[in-house]
Amino acid sequence: MARSKSAKHSVWDQWVKWLKDERVSKIAAMSSFMGAIYLLISFISYLSSWKADQDKVLALSWRILFKSGSEVNNWLGRLGALSSHFFFYYGFGIACFLIIPVIIHLGFRFLKRSGWLGLLRYSTHTLMIMALLSMILFLDWSNAFKWNNSTNTQQDNNLTPNELYLKNKAAAAQSAGIEVDFGDYAESAGLAATIGSKADQIINPFGPSLEIETIAPSESITTKDPEQSESRPSYQPVPDDEDGWHDESHTGPYDPRADLSTYVIPSLDLLNDYNDQKFEIDRSELESNKNQIIATLLNYKIEIQKIKATIGPTVTLYEIVPAPGVRISRIKSLEDDIALSLSAQGIRIIAPIPGRGTIGIEVANKNKQMVPLKELLKSDRFNDQKMELPIALGKNISNEVVVADLTKMPHLLIAGATGQGKSVGINTILMSLLYKKHPAEVKLVLIDPKKVELPIYSVIEKHFLAQLPNQDEAIITDTSKVIYTLNSLCIEMDQRYELLKMARVRNLLEYNDKFVNRRLNPQKGHRYLPYIVLIIDEFADLIMTAGKEVELPIGRLAQLARAVGIHLIIATQRPSVKIITGLIKANFPGRIAFKVSSNIDSRTILDCGGAERLIGRGDMLYSVGSDMIRLQCAFVDTPEVERVITHIGNQRSYGEPYYLPEYKGDEADGAENSIVADDLDEMFEEAARLVVQSQHGSTSMIQRRLKLGYNRAGRIMDQMEALGIVSSGEGSKPREVLLFNEIELENLLQKFKRKT
């Protein structure tokens, strides 16, 4: 027993000795001073950043410290926002600044190791001053607010005390929903028609400020039972011009979803998790690749200072910092040598990585992870309400979800070799829109020359699709109908610009906001405008068969349609310069490249190489502006798509699809009809094939190659101009050939023969 007591005393003596150590006191003093500085900075920052940070801190509380995606404006980050919010919101408000002298006083007590009673007295007095100061500030602010409110009301409206009381009572309690008839006072003061049952408490929380005469309820105030009266929204339309919608039968804002108010967005349970497709990266694989990279560079006498790895779902990025004096071009030239030493499917060197000051070497993982679409759709980034048309693209090399807003692109160009993920990427985009938007807010125009990829979406024809009047199929597959649809979209674009001009707004968002608030009159042609997204699954086939007839309306839409809410998504497996022309590239800043066959194709779609070194199966490069990132595209299988569109198709729909304006053709059809087959020269077809094959339209060439006279060759050239094969003449210059290949020519000749 005595031995145990002596042991306890020895432990206590050691603790006392440790606390009396001068080094411990100095460490505690420095910690106090640093804490005071930290609180001072966070408090000062809080004065300007609390409005932006308060909702995040209230929603997440202490969890904000571990929420990687939470961004705050406080100068000291999430910890600074949390600590300052705790003191100001739950403490004494601005009086919390007095805590800082207490902490500084504590630091000096630690240095002197004495005067603890004085510290207690100082802290007690400070606490009392803080409590008193916070109450004084609160009462001063409340009285100032009350005085300003009553003074301004009297000065602006020149009301009597009774009228002022009734007006304040009505304006502050609209949310309770009890109708009140104020009689003559309401007429003289222009009072609102709703008031709450607890209006007295709401209007005057600090006691009465005016003497009010007692008015008999039977004479001037008639109160209706809230259960018997219908609730009315407090909204009042504010027409600001002659187009204002003065419809007294509607008292609230226009709801575009009202016609389909029972529509339910598909549940995420309809999509697969693919948990069996997730693999852990082998740490030995990382170490082996790192050693091989270092050894390969040393073989060429290239030293590095640092190397680190970032593991992605498909590839791992090894970032290296070369030694001083090493030329980046030397490392870039060793791309194939490094790939050989790693025995990798393909590597890609980024020299240097923009904004990091390092050189990146991307190496494919042996076990590649699938990125399920479901995981992206339930992420915070996809559910950000600031995005109008969010599309979930995939995950980057840091396993972060990448979501883009189509309205900011504003058009998207997709290219890649066959079987590398283009169709899955298009399905991902379509599913993102279906999971985010109501049928009243977005309409889809789907063009599928291959006839097998997009017909599955015909089930939702009357929910989400837009088409020409009297069109048999919802999904457009015929080339002639494609031309009519594109020109119809141009008409729709022009009509929308006229509506924006009449409404005096600059874009679709401003126009719809004005229409929803009933400031535009439907009797003058105004209507709610949904977004229209045009998706073409194989653009190269359209260019081969229709040429300029497709390229010209596409170019016009790409240049002008952004402001009126029409956005284009074009995919092709042949990214050649004849398919993706300069006009198209100039107006499609958003581009996605899956694996392509050559460096030339990569440069055509991205203006730089790299897509030829991708590994396929959804591995892609996403470029918007000057930024380019490597992503693993989200995966969604056909059965998942079928479940989602079946869920939508089984719900109540509109009576008909969204009809585009009717297009009646252009003047070129009249020129073709004016020529009959008997008018054509016997050598016309042979001359037309010669011009299309050589892509050179000149009368002298036809004269020389076919051994014809000048006059006869000139007549043939005029006939080709009338049929739209070549452009009109420009002096001695050769004419521009408007058809790219013989397939287009044969289609034109067959079409011409059917008309004769």
Side-chain angles (χ1 to χ4, degrees):
M1 189 70 175
R3 185 175 299 175
S4 63
K5 287 184 179 180
S6 62
K8 289 182 179 179
H9 281 296
S10 63
V11 172
W12 173 253
D13 292 340
Q14 290 178 0
W15 272 104
V16 172
K17 183 179 179 181
W18 181 80
L19 290 174
K20 290 183 178 181
D21 192 341
E22 183 179 358
R23 291 173 297 178
V24 174
S25 300
K26 290 182 178 180
I27 292 173
M30 292 303 299
S31 300
S32 300
F33 296 146
M34 294 300 294
I37 296 173
Y38 186 92
L39 289 179
L40 178 63
I41 297 174
S42 66
F43 286 178
I44 294 174
S45 176
Y46 182 84
L47 298 179
S48 60
S49 64
W50 70 272
K51 291 183 179 179
D53 296 345
Q54 190 177 63
D55 57 337
K56 301 173 185 175
V57 178
L58 285 174
L60 297 174
S61 185
W62 58 269
R63 295 189 300 275
I64 194 174
L65 299 176
F66 309 101
K67 192 76 171 179
S68 59
S70 300
E71 297 182 359
V72 295
N73 294 341
N74 194 285
W75 298 342
L76 296 182
R78 288 172 283 182
L79 181 58
L82 181 63
S83 57
S84 58
H85 173 82
F86 175 80
F87 282 104
F88 277 79
Y89 191 79
Y90 297 106
F92 298 96
I94 199 169
C96 287
F97 274 96
L98 296 178
I99 294 176
I100 296 173
V102 175
I103 299 177
I104 295 175
H105 196 86
L106 175 64
F108 283 112
R109 293 302 100 196
F110 275 122
L111 281 179
K112 295 181 178 180
R113 291 188 290 174
S114 63
W116 300 109
L117 186 60
L119 173 65
L120 180 61
R121 184 168 57 251
Y122 183 82
S123 303
T124 305
H125 292 167
T126 304
L127 182 63
M128 294 173 62
I129 295 173
M130 289 169 58
L132 182 62
L133 182 61
S134 63
M135 288 189 290
I136 293 173
L137 292 175
F138 174 74
L139 290 176
D140 284 346
W141 176 84
S142 302
N143 290 329
F145 175 81
K146 180 175 61 176
W147 171 254
N148 289 335
N149 186 43
S150 61
T151 303
N152 291 336
T153 306
Q154 287 183 338
Q155 291 177 351
D156 295 341
N157 300 305
N158 195 22
L159 303 179
T160 65
N162 276 342
E163 293 169 346
L164 176 61
Y165 171 74
L166 295 175
K167 184 173 181 69
N168 288 341
K169 195 173 184 180
Q174 290 180 346
S175 59
I178 302 177
E179 292 190 355
V180 178
D181 182 9
F182 286 94
D184 296 336
Y185 289 99
E187 295 180 3
S188 62
L191 302 179
T194 58
I195 189 168
S197 59
K198 297 183 179 180
D200 289 331
Q201 299 177 15
I202 299 174
I203 289 291
N204 204 1
F206 305 108
S209 59
L210 293 174
E211 294 182 1
I212 308 298
E213 294 183 7
T214 303
I215 305 172
S218 60
E219 296 179 2
S220 62
I221 300 180
T222 304
T223 306
K224 298 180 181 180
D225 189 351
E227 295 182 358
Q228 297 177 356
S229 62
E230 297 180 359
S231 62
R232 297 182 183 176
S234 60
Y235 168 84
Q236 292 293 335
V238 188
D240 63 347
D241 50 41
E242 60 181 4
D243 293 331
W245 185 357
H246 305 277
D247 189 351
E248 297 180 357
S249 61
H250 298 281
T251 59
Y254 172 77
D255 184 8
R257 303 185 178 190
D259 293 338
L260 225 60
S261 59
T262 59
Y263 176 79
V264 179
I265 292 179
S267 169
L268 290 176
D269 295 335
L270 299 173
L271 302 177
N272 297 337
D273 291 317
Y274 295 103
N275 292 323
D276 56 336
Q277 300 292 328
K278 296 182 179 179
F279 304 97
E280 290 292 334
I281 191 69
D282 188 1
R283 297 293 172 180
S284 61
E285 178 186 346
L286 291 177
E287 192 67 25
S288 175
N289 288 341
K290 182 195 75 173
N291 295 334
Q292 288 292 339
I293 291 173
I294 295 174
T296 303
L297 294 177
L298 287 177
N299 288 339
Y300 292 90
K301 298 181 180 180
I302 298 176
E303 297 182 358
I304 61 176
Q305 293 181 334
K306 182 181 178 182
I307 183 170
K308 70 173 184 177
T310 304
I311 305 171
T314 305
V315 297
T316 298
L317 173 65
Y318 296 88
E319 292 184 65
I320 63 174
V321 179
V326 175
R327 302 179 66 123
I328 295 178
S329 58
R330 292 185 60 195
I331 300 178
K332 182 69 176 176
S333 64
L334 298 177
E335 198 166 32
D336 294 332
D337 300 277
I338 297 175
L340 177 63
S341 65
L342 296 176
S343 302
Q345 184 175 350
I347 71 166
R348 176 172 168 261
I349 294 182
I350 311 170
I353 298 178
R356 295 195 188 180
T358 59
I359 297 174
I361 302 176
E362 295 176 345
V363 182
N365 298 332
K366 292 182 179 179
N367 296 322
K368 302 172 183 61
Q369 292 187 6
M370 183 179 293
V371 178
L373 177 62
K374 181 178 181 179
E375 185 177 344
L376 272 62
L377 297 185
K378 65 182 180 182
S379 66
D380 293 337
R381 294 191 180 182
F382 181 79
N383 293 288
D384 185 358
Q385 298 300 323
K386 296 180 181 179
M387 292 190 179
E388 287 294 317
L389 294 177
I391 52 177
L393 296 178
K395 285 188 175 182
N396 62 12
I397 205 162
S398 300
N399 268 307
E400 297 174 340
V401 174
V402 177
V403 179
D405 190 351
L406 185 58
T407 61
K408 299 294 189 295
M409 289 185 180
H411 311 296
L412 182 60
L413 189 60
I414 304 174
T418 304
Q420 303 304 320
K422 293 191 309 300
S423 297
V424 174
I426 291 177
N427 282 328
T428 297
I429 293 172
L430 286 170
M431 295 292 285
S432 300
L433 297 176
L434 296 182
Y435 265 93
K436 189 66 175 180
K437 308 303 287 186
H438 188 274
E441 298 171 335
V442 64
K443 299 297 177 183
L444 306 172
V445 179
L446 304 182
I447 298 177
D448 183 14
K450 293 190 292 187
K451 305 180 182 181
V452 295
E453 297 292 347
L454 300 179
I456 188 175
Y457 292 95
S458 61
V459 178
I460 57 174
E461 171 185 358
K462 295 182 180 179
H463 290 87
F464 282 98
L465 299 190
Q467 62 185 57
L468 292 172
N470 303 321
Q471 183 174 313
D472 298 332
E473 299 178 353
I475 312 300
I476 306 162
T477 57
D478 185 75
T479 303
S480 61
K481 292 182 179 179
V482 171
I483 297 171
Y484 276 74
T485 301
L486 294 176
N487 285 281
S488 176
L489 280 173
C490 291
I491 298 174
E492 173 78 11
M493 177 184 70
D494 294 335
Q495 292 178 354
R496 291 188 171 202
Y497 268 113
E498 285 297 321
L499 293 176
L500 265 62
K501 177 183 176 183
M502 292 168 56
R504 296 191 289 276
V505 295
R506 299 180 60 186
N507 54 54
L508 183 82
L509 279 177
E510 295 178 5
Y511 178 88
N512 281 342
D513 180 69
K514 217 170 183 180
F515 186 85
V516 165
N517 287 291
R518 300 190 183 278
R519 295 164 64 185
L520 298 174
N521 195 340
Q523 296 178 358
K524 296 188 177 182
H526 292 290
R527 55 193 170 92
Y528 183 84
L529 300 179
Y531 286 100
I532 297 179
V533 180
L534 168 65
I535 297 180
I536 302 177
D537 189 30
E538 185 46 68
F539 185 62
D541 184 73
L542 296 182
I543 293 295
M544 290 175 61
T545 55
K548 295 290 183 180
E549 292 181 280
V550 168
E551 184 183 355
L552 293 179
I554 287 281
R556 189 161 182 264
L557 288 170
Q559 293 180 82
L560 301 175
R562 172 183 184 175
V564 293
I566 301 177
H567 303 278
L568 282 60
I569 299 175
I570 294 178
T572 180
Q573 61 182 9
R574 288 186 55 199
S576 64
V577 292
K578 287 189 176 181
I579 306 300
I580 304 176
T581 61
L583 177 64
I584 292 177
K585 289 180 65 175
N587 293 284
F588 281 77
R591 304 174 194 173
I592 290 177
F594 292 90
K595 182 176 175 60
V596 295
S597 57
S598 67
N599 181 269
I600 296 176
D601 290 345
S602 177
R603 293 186 176 277
T604 302
I605 181 68
L606 296 175
D607 294 327
C608 65
E612 76 281 3
R613 293 187 176 273
L614 299 177
I615 61 176
R617 297 180 61 84
D619 189 19
M620 68 183 193
L621 293 175
Y622 168 57
S623 170
V624 56
S626 59
D627 299 329
M628 182 181 299
I629 55 177
R630 187 171 185 176
L631 303 175
Q632 177 62 34
C633 180
F635 179 77
V636 58
D637 205 358
T638 303
E640 299 176 76
V641 178
E642 290 178 343
R643 290 196 295 268
V644 172
I645 62 175
T646 300
H647 168 83
I648 297 175
N650 289 337
Q651 300 186 55
R652 186 172 69 87
S653 66
Y654 296 107
E656 56 188 15
Y658 183 89
Y659 286 127
L660 299 172
E662 186 176 359
Y663 174 70
K664 298 181 180 179
D666 52 18
E667 299 177 358
D669 294 333
E672 293 179 13
N673 291 330
S674 63
I675 301 178
V676 296
D678 295 338
D679 294 337
L680 296 179
D681 192 280
E682 295 178 355
M683 301 292 291
F684 174 81
E685 291 192 11
E686 187 175 352
R689 290 191 177 91
L690 176 63
V691 168
V692 172
Q693 288 174 356
S694 61
Q695 290 291 298
H696 182 80
S698 68
T699 305
S700 59
M701 184 193 69
I702 297 176
Q703 181 183 3
R704 184 177 65 257
R705 298 284 293 274
L706 300 181
K707 299 179 180 180
L708 302 176
Y710 182 80
N711 292 335
R712 186 179 180 184
R715 286 195 299 271
I716 293 176
M717 185 62 68
D718 292 339
Q719 292 171 356
M720 283 193 284
E721 178 186 347
L723 290 181
I725 299 175
V726 296
S727 65
S728 58
E730 299 180 4
S732 60
K733 293 182 179 179
R735 300 175 184 238
E736 181 184 0
V737 182
L738 303 179
L739 303 181
F740 288 138
N741 50 53
E742 291 187 67
I743 299 177
E744 295 182 57
L745 176 62
E746 293 298 330
N747 290 337
L748 178 63
L749 294 177
Q750 291 295 327
K751 181 179 177 182
F752 171 73
K753 290 178 181 178
R754 287 198 300 267
K755 290 186 177 183
T756 56

